[in-house]
Amino acid sequence: MASVEELSPASGPVSARLREDEIDDDEDEDLDETLVERLWGLTEMFPDTVRTAAETSAQCSVSVLKKFYSFSRSALWVGTTSFMILVLPVVFETERLQLEQQQLQQQRQILLGPNTAMSGGMPGMMPAAPSIGKV
Amino acid sequence: MNLIRKHCAHMGSVLALSSNPGHQNWPFSKDHLPSRWDAHPAHWDRPPRWERRDGRLPNPGSFHSLHRSCKDVFPHQIEGVKMIINKTLSSFFKVSHTLHLSAVSPSYYRFHVEHLQSDDYSKDKDAPALIGEMDSSGSLNAHALLHLTERVRARTVFQTQQSQFVTWQFETEYRGSDFTAAVTVANPDILRESVILVAHFLQSVSSGLVLGGELVYHRGRAEEGGILTLAGQYSGPNWVATLNAGKGGAHASYYHRANKQIQVGVEFEASTRTQETTASFGYQMDLPEANMVFRGMINSRCIIGGVLEKRLTPLPATLIMGAFVNHKGDKLQVGLGVNVG
């Protein structure tokens, strides 16, 4: 009987007040929690194994990315400086030689006519150098 | 043990003195005088072994030059600013002045005099010669190479550090028809009862194969010991492979001449005393049309280096620029040099 009376509209305001308080408390709780915490809370629905697996894979991939980044930095540095010291002087000199020979050929062509210009006419041309563009 | 290694290193540096700063050529016929840049297809300091002459095996040369063709491909570490002025006073006398300004070691002026008893520049390095070098700090370096008879050669070396004698060694070498035997006495000291004796033997076994050994005996007041090292060298038409193996370590080298311009050398050294192994790769590019020679090397100790020698054609001068970088320790050594004459 008491329950019926409680459920009657006469006891309305009390329960309404209670519900309002509850609703207020709920809203307060919503305002205190940040978005990140709410999203994090969503992960609690997954079982533990899935959570730990995801955590370790995420950590692994982050550390691998870091190592790869530092490795690529040092590899790029070492590669560039080694190329600069070991290969660049030879490249400069061969390019200069090629340009000189091209110029000589052009001069010969201008001086003696187009038939006398020969590619590969200079003795001792380097076999390793790329072929001269103009014939 | 340290004493013996120091003396072996001294002997190595001493022999480096007798090689020219440029890179010499072995003439196959004495008719033409090869210029400095016109190298024979293979680089030897003696006739190549695969050529049988009169059906007999040729002489294998000296023990120190076993690894030389590979070592010549590698660049020398240069540091600081160096100026070398060479003057040929007559066909026998050569004089050179060297000025070296350095950041890591004391700077010096060095005076070098050579009296070669042969007037052919392209002759064998072991021609009879008297060589003397004097430093601005008072250090002396003197070599005398004598041909006692047609087959017997003697060499004497004195090295001082300011006023103290560091090395005094006497070597006798006998060159037979297909073998070489040499005995060296280094730093004999009667007062301290110490001496280092080295015996070398090399035998041409076949047209491409040379086998031999080295026996080092050292005796000091407190210690006494001997080390035996076996050596073998096999050469083909344009390559040479050499191996030295003994209790003190192993040293293997391979030299290959790819074409007229490119030579390649691979070297592997292992030492039991320092428990270290090093592998190196070096290459040399000759471009006579561009008047340059470039040598580069890369090491298993993360050291790379390159040296460029450029001939400034109208002038009798050579410009040398080199850099060595140690990637592990992030260190750099840069050198610049000018050779005049």
Side-chain angles (χ1 to χ4, degrees):
Chain A
M1 284 302 168
S3 60
V4 170
E5 280 178 355
E6 280 173 10
L7 288 172
S8 71
S11 64
V14 175
S15 53
R17 236 183 293 121
L18 275 174
R19 256 179 275 128
E20 276 176 343
D21 287 337
E22 277 177 37
I23 290 170
D24 285 335
D25 286 335
D26 281 334
E27 281 176 9
D28 285 344
E29 280 173 29
D30 284 339
L31 288 173
D32 282 343
E33 251 185 17
T34 64
L35 183 64
V36 176
E37 286 171 1
R38 285 179 74 186
L39 288 172
W40 186 253
L42 282 177
T43 62
E44 286 172 7
M45 73 169 150
F46 294 112
D48 261 344
T49 51
V50 175
R51 283 173 68 192
T52 47
E55 215 174 294
T56 48
S57 67
Q59 275 180 359
C60 270
S61 55
V62 165
S63 73
V64 160
L65 266 172
K66 277 191 197 167
K67 278 186 199 162
F68 180 71
Y69 172 68
S70 72
F71 169 75
S72 64
R73 272 186 76 193
S74 62
L76 189 64
W77 171 256
V78 167
T80 307
T81 54
S82 306
F83 174 80
M84 183 180 79
I85 288 182
L86 292 178
V87 179
L88 215 49
V90 181
V91 166
F92 275 154
E93 287 298 324
T94 53
E95 287 295 320
R96 215 167 69 101
L97 181 67
Q98 258 189 34
L99 283 174
E100 268 180 36
Q101 283 176 347
Q102 262 184 18
Q103 251 190 11
L104 272 174
Q105 247 191 35
Q106 269 185 4
Q107 273 185 7
R108 244 201 276 153
Q109 206 177 26
I110 292 171
L111 196 59
L112 302 171
N115 295 330
T116 55
M118 280 163 34
S119 67
M122 299 283 290
M125 287 273 281
M126 299 167 297
S131 59
I132 295 185
K134 299 183 189 165
V135 171
Chain B
M1 215 44 174
N2 287 339
L3 188 67
I4 185 74
R5 284 296 154 203
K6 188 173 71 162
H7 283 293
C8 284
H10 273 299
M11 288 199 286
S13 66
V14 144
L15 286 143
L17 172 64
S18 60
S19 67
N20 291 330
H23 289 260
Q24 50 278 19
N25 328 292
W26 179 260
F28 265 50
S29 69
K30 301 232 160 71
D31 301 329
H32 72 283
L33 199 71
S35 73
R36 191 178 177 146
W37 302 95
D38 185 24
H40 186 268
H43 167 79
W44 309 103
D45 69 339
R46 61 199 176 280
R49 239 166 275 105
W50 63 86
E51 272 192 18
R52 278 177 182 259
R53 292 184 293 178
D54 309 330
R56 285 174 304 164
L57 298 170
N59 183 276
S62 76
F63 193 86
H64 305 288
S65 55
L66 278 179
H67 289 276
R68 184 166 302 149
S69 44
C70 183
K71 280 213 182 281
D72 277 345
V73 166
F74 285 81
H76 301 290
Q77 210 156 0
I78 63 176
E79 198 278 326
V81 170
K82 198 171 202 174
M83 171 131 192
I84 301 179
I85 302 173
N86 297 318
K87 286 193 77 155
T88 307
L89 296 181
S90 81
S91 59
F92 298 105
F93 250 119
K94 287 196 177 82
V95 162
S96 95
H97 308 265
T98 307
L99 278 165
H100 188 142
L101 303 167
S102 158
V104 299
S105 53
S107 312
Y108 60 80
Y109 159 76
R110 190 176 279 171
F111 177 70
H112 174 105
V113 132
E114 267 180 35
H115 179 234
L116 298 164
Q117 286 172 29
S118 73
D119 53 353
D120 194 353
Y121 169 77
S122 54
K123 198 86 185 223
D124 187 6
K125 264 201 299 285
D126 287 333
L130 296 169
I131 300 174
E133 236 183 38
M134 191 82 190
D135 224 351
S136 58
S137 60
S139 313
L140 168 76
N141 198 337
H143 290 224
L145 289 96
L146 308 163
H147 283 191
L148 297 177
T149 75
E150 192 200 312
R151 290 184 177 270
V152 178
R153 302 177 189 198
R155 172 188 290 199
T156 316
V157 176
F158 291 102
Q159 263 185 353
T160 77
Q161 190 82 15
Q162 273 145 13
S163 66
Q164 213 185 16
F165 271 86
V166 166
T167 305
W168 55 105
Q169 80 185 36
F170 312 93
E171 178 180 341
T172 313
E173 190 179 69
Y174 178 82
R175 291 211 175 182
S177 58
D178 60 351
F179 72 95
T180 307
V183 173
T184 309
V185 178
N187 292 34
D189 197 339
I190 301 174
L191 299 174
R192 283 189 212 146
E193 293 174 31
S194 75
V195 73
I196 297 178
L197 289 171
V198 182
H200 293 156
F201 184 74
L202 277 183
Q203 167 84 45
S204 274
V205 169
S206 80
S207 67
L209 184 61
V210 170
L211 295 175
E214 171 187 53
L215 179 63
V216 180
Y217 168 77
H218 65 103
R219 179 206 163 103
R221 214 172 251 165
E223 45 159 17
E224 188 176 345
I227 304 173
L228 175 69
T229 309
L230 297 173
Q233 184 178 64
Y234 192 71
S235 45
N238 58 349
W239 56 269
V240 179
T242 317
L243 173 66
N244 274 27
K247 226 162 122 186
H251 184 187
S253 76
Y254 175 73
Y255 162 86
H256 187 99
R257 181 140 198 157
N259 54 31
K260 198 161 177 251
Q261 290 163 353
I262 299 181
Q263 297 170 56
V264 158
V266 179
E267 206 176 23
F268 176 76
E269 266 180 86
S271 159
T272 54
R273 185 181 65 95
T274 56
Q275 302 280 319
E276 261 182 16
T277 61
T278 309
S280 332
F281 171 79
Y283 62 93
Q284 175 176 332
M285 271 199 76
D286 295 307
L287 289 177
E289 313 91 30
N291 287 324
M292 71 160 234
V293 176
F294 181 78
R295 292 188 180 86
M297 79 99 128
I298 178 164
N299 219 342
S300 69
R301 289 188 212 153
C302 302
I303 297 176
I304 60 161
V307 169
L308 174 73
E309 283 177 35
K310 177 121 178 111
R311 221 158 68 134
L312 310 168
T313 2
L315 310 166
T318 308
L319 182 66
I320 300 174
M321 296 174 281
F324 269 73
V325 173
N326 185 345
H327 281 300
K328 234 188 210 167
D330 204 9
K331 282 188 232 142
L332 167 75
Q333 238 185 21
V334 173
L336 183 67
V338 175
N339 280 22
V340 177

